[in-house]
Amino acid sequence: MKIYIDADACPVVSIAEKVAAKFQIPVTLLCDTNHILQSDYSDVIVVDAGADAVDYKLISLCTKDDVVITQDYGVAAMALGKGAAAIHQSGKWYTNNNIDQMLMTRHLNKKARRASHKNHVKGPKKRTAEDDKMFEESFEKLLAQISHTGSID
C-alpha cells in the first residue's frame, strides 16, 4: 500500500505524513511546477503545470489497495475505479456508495452557477485546528480499517 497526495495547495500534507509514518506506509506527494514541495518523509513528484496534469499523473501511479488524498471528486472517482481508497482533506471518505451523488451535486452546482452567471464563488472557509483534528482521526481510522480488513466497505 502507498499513499498518494494531490498536494497542490493541500493543507493536510504534514498530518497525513505523521499518520502514515505511524503505519509505516510510504507517501508520494504530487504537485506541479507552481507548487514545489519538499519533504523529509515523502517522495515528491513534480509535473509540468497544466490543466489536470497532477491529477493524471496521480491516477497513472495509483493502484489497487493504495490510498489517495484529494479534494477533487473526479480524481477520487478514478482512484475508486482502480480499487484504491480515497479521502478528502476534510476527512470524508469517498466510497463507491457516495461518489456518484457527490459528482452529480458538483455538476448541478456548476450548471446553476453558469445559469446565474455567477462564476466567481467564495473559496472554502478558513481551515481550523478542529478541521485538522477531524482529518487526522478519520485518516487514521481509514488506514486502520484497511490494515485490518483490506477495504473500507
Side-chain angles (χ1 to χ4, degrees):
M1 175 193 316
K2 293 181 182 172
I3 297 168
Y4 292 97
I5 302 178
D6 183 355
D8 285 341
C10 180
V12 297
V13 169
S14 61
I15 298 167
E17 288 177 328
K18 180 176 86 171
V19 174
K22 276 189 203 177
F23 286 84
Q24 299 178 331
I25 301 170
V27 174
T28 299
L29 308 177
L30 290 99
C31 62
D32 68 26
T33 53
N34 295 320
H35 301 92
I36 303 295
L37 301 174
Q38 294 181 344
S39 173
D40 292 332
Y41 183 79
S42 302
D43 291 328
V44 178
I45 296 176
V46 180
V47 300
D48 287 334
D52 303 321
V54 169
D55 301 344
Y56 292 128
K57 182 65 174 179
L58 187 155
I59 292 303
S60 75
L61 294 172
C62 98
T63 61
K64 185 178 183 316
D65 300 326
D66 288 335
V67 177
V68 172
I69 299 173
T70 184
Q71 63 181 342
D72 185 312
Y73 295 175
V75 171
M78 289 187 283
L80 291 172
K82 292 186 85 170
I87 185 172
H88 188 275
Q89 64 194 27
S90 68
K92 182 170 181 64
W93 297 2
Y94 299 102
T95 68
N96 289 320
N97 294 329
N98 69 12
I99 194 66
D100 288 340
Q101 180 64 43
M102 294 168 92
L103 289 166
M104 180 57 75
T105 299
R106 179 183 73 170
H107 169 73
L108 293 173
N109 288 340
K110 185 175 183 179
K111 192 173 174 180
R113 281 193 307 276
R114 270 197 303 242
S116 69
H117 305 291
K118 288 186 179 179
N119 291 321
H120 299 287
V121 294
K122 292 181 184 176
K125 65 181 181 175
K126 188 166 174 61
R127 191 162 184 90
T128 66
E130 183 64 26
D131 294 330
D132 289 345
K133 184 178 178 204
M134 279 185 5
F135 172 79
E136 184 172 356
E137 290 172 358
S138 180
F139 187 49
E140 192 159 338
K141 183 178 175 185
L142 174 75
L143 294 182
Q145 185 168 332
I146 292 171
S147 295
H148 294 306
T149 67
S151 73
I152 63 170
D153 293 325

